Amino acid sequence: MTTTAPGAADRIVAAVCAWPGVAEVAGSRGERSLRVGRREVGHLHGDRVAHFSFTRPLGEELRAQGRIGPHPVFPDAPGMGARRIEGPEDEADVIALMRRNYDRIVERYGIPQEPAAA
């Protein structure tokens, strides 16, 4: 039986929003989007799943490692991925996956002067 980790989203949001320039933005489908400026590092659907958009090569690498699975809306897009959150190990890896996106975004675009728009 699959369970979710109660409070996982709050813990992930707190960790990721502690990074310079990251803000939480409410998504149009009830998701909690974590962004650097207007660029999303990932988003959460409650305490149960995180969704990401990576570069194609990175997405393929992460899928091969079993760290992400197909995104439910874009299952054939190699850069799009999903990660179930079922316990502390998953929470830690979701934070690490978001950090990969954060570092990539900041390296390319820098930290924005203005916070993410709500």
Side-chain angles (χ1 to χ4, degrees), residues 3 21 23 27-28 36 40 55 66 70 75-79 87-88 90 92-94 96 105 111:
T3 61
S28 61
V36 178
E40 186 177 77
T55 63
D76 297 324
D90 298 315
D93 202 38
V94 165
I105 290 166
I111 296 173

Side-chain angles (χ1 to χ4, degrees), residues 63-75:
R63 280 192 193 200
Q65 294 171 354
R67 292 180 67 192
I68 62 170
H71 188 285
V73 178
F74 307 104

Side-chain angles (χ1 to χ4, degrees), residues 2-46:
T2 301
T3 61
T4 59
D10 289 336
R11 290 187 293 273
I12 292 166
V13 168
V16 176
C17 284
W19 305 335
V22 176
E24 178 184 1
V25 177
S28 61
R29 292 168 300 283
E31 72 274 17
R32 296 174 76 175
S33 177
L34 299 167
R35 299 183 185 187
V36 178
R38 57 190 175 100
R39 292 173 176 83
E40 186 177 77
V41 294
H43 66 261
L44 302 164
H45 291 278

Side-chain angles (χ1 to χ4, degrees), residues 54-105:
F54 297 106
T55 63
R56 180 186 189 109
L58 180 56
E60 289 172 342
E61 174 188 329
L62 294 170
R63 280 192 193 200
Q65 294 171 354
R67 292 180 67 192
I68 62 170
H71 188 285
V73 178
F74 307 104
D76 297 324
M80 302 295 287
R83 172 70 186 244
R84 299 231 9 112
I85 305 167
E86 297 177 350
E89 299 84 15
D90 298 315
E91 285 181 44
D93 202 38
V94 165
I95 293 167
L97 291 165
M98 289 192 182
R99 187 63 193 215
R100 298 273 308 256
N101 257 350
Y102 173 83
D103 289 343
R104 181 178 57 84
I105 290 166

